Amino acid sequence: MYLCHESLIGGQLWSKLRSLAPERSRPARSVLLRQGDPGTQVILLSSGSTLVTLTGAGGERTLLAVRGAGELLGELAVLDDQPRSASVIAAEPCRVHLIPGTDFIRFVNENNLTTPLLRHAIARVREAEAVRLEMATSPVPVRLAAALGRLVRAASRNGAETLVRLTQTELSQLIGASRNGVGSALKPWRERGWLGTEASGGLVIRNMPAIEADART
């Protein structure tokens, strides 16, 4: 079963890793890591949620995963000294620790974490492949409900209502659909009161289980 990094390495080591860099805030929609950049630091996500996206040759973006608090971001590029394979974008305001790559590698070696981290990375690659297959083969409502569900489950505030700070255009790009297709899928869910629209263009999710069940019918 997939575990977040904090659960993987344990609370004591997680606290030690956090202490390697001060906590910083990042606003929603900010780019935390950019595809193709060198791996010079690892991001420890203390709060908030992020989108992991892949940009194609034509500039199209595909959603690979959603990551929440307790995750490390960009660690593979640091461990194998290769350019970043994907971008990471803040889906909501986030609190992060920017750990220098040299400090992270020293921490991994001192605590014998190389093998656990590589196994964890393999699980994430498999998850990303499953998401890409889903995005390529499923109808728009199914793809949209799946993306919204991941965002809701990773959100820092997951109560009766959850704010998804993405516009319909951004959602359409992430799931490989037209904006009209996304609007058509959202319409019946909005009419039934399962979600609403924020003035800023985001969505307020009120009943994610109902949305997911309806998309599968």
Side-chain angles (χ1 to χ4, degrees):
M1 186 177 69
Y2 181 87
L3 296 174
C4 69
H5 282 104
E6 183 176 5
S7 298
L8 177 75
I9 71 174
Q12 185 175 359
L13 282 180
W14 186 255
S15 296
K16 184 178 177 182
L17 184 57
R18 287 182 58 173
S19 70
L20 296 181
E23 189 175 71
R24 304 173 185 272
S25 61
R26 291 291 183 267
R29 295 189 175 89
S30 59
V31 178
L32 304 181
L33 298 173
R34 196 179 302 276
Q35 182 178 333
D37 283 356
T40 58
Q41 62 184 10
V42 173
I43 293 180
L44 184 152
L45 187 60
S46 287
S47 69
S49 56
T50 63
L51 307 169
V52 182
T53 67
L54 180 68
T55 303
E60 68 281 3
R61 282 194 302 164
T62 301
L63 177 65
L64 297 181
V66 177
R67 300 286 175 231
E71 290 280 7
L72 296 175
L73 306 167
E75 80 284 1
L76 269 186
V78 169
L79 290 173
D80 67 2
D81 195 25
Q82 294 294 317
R84 302 202 184 279
S85 58
S87 295
V88 178
I89 302 165
E92 60 179 325
C94 295
R95 305 288 294 180
V96 301
H97 298 256
L98 308 179
I99 302 170
T102 52
D103 292 344
F104 179 74
I105 290 175
R106 187 182 306 112
F107 177 86
V108 169
N109 291 336
E110 289 175 351
N111 295 282
N112 299 315
L113 291 174
T114 301
T115 297
L117 287 175
L118 288 177
R119 288 176 176 168
H120 187 273
I122 291 169
R124 291 206 304 196
V125 169
R126 289 175 176 162
E127 180 200 29
E129 289 174 346
V131 172
R132 292 181 71 181
L133 178 63
E134 174 187 85
M135 295 298 174
T137 60
S138 299
V140 172
V142 173
R143 290 170 7 221
L144 181 58
L148 292 175
R150 291 185 183 95
L151 286 162
V152 167
R153 284 186 285 274
S156 56
R157 295 181 181 178
N158 189 353
E161 295 185 349
T162 304
L163 175 60
V164 173
R165 297 174 183 268
L166 295 174
T167 65
Q168 290 187 26
T169 298
E170 290 168 329
L171 285 169
S172 68
Q173 292 172 344
L174 291 174
I175 68 169
S178 68
R179 189 181 186 281
N180 287 340
V182 168
S184 296
L186 291 174
K187 183 178 179 181
W189 302 339
R190 185 182 293 110
E191 291 174 345
R192 293 167 186 167
W194 297 341
L195 58 78
T197 303
E198 280 279 291
S200 61
L203 297 174
V204 179
I205 309 300
R206 301 192 179 102
N207 194 336
M208 196 64 237
I211 291 173
E212 291 175 320
D214 184 72
R216 291 192 294 267
T217 60

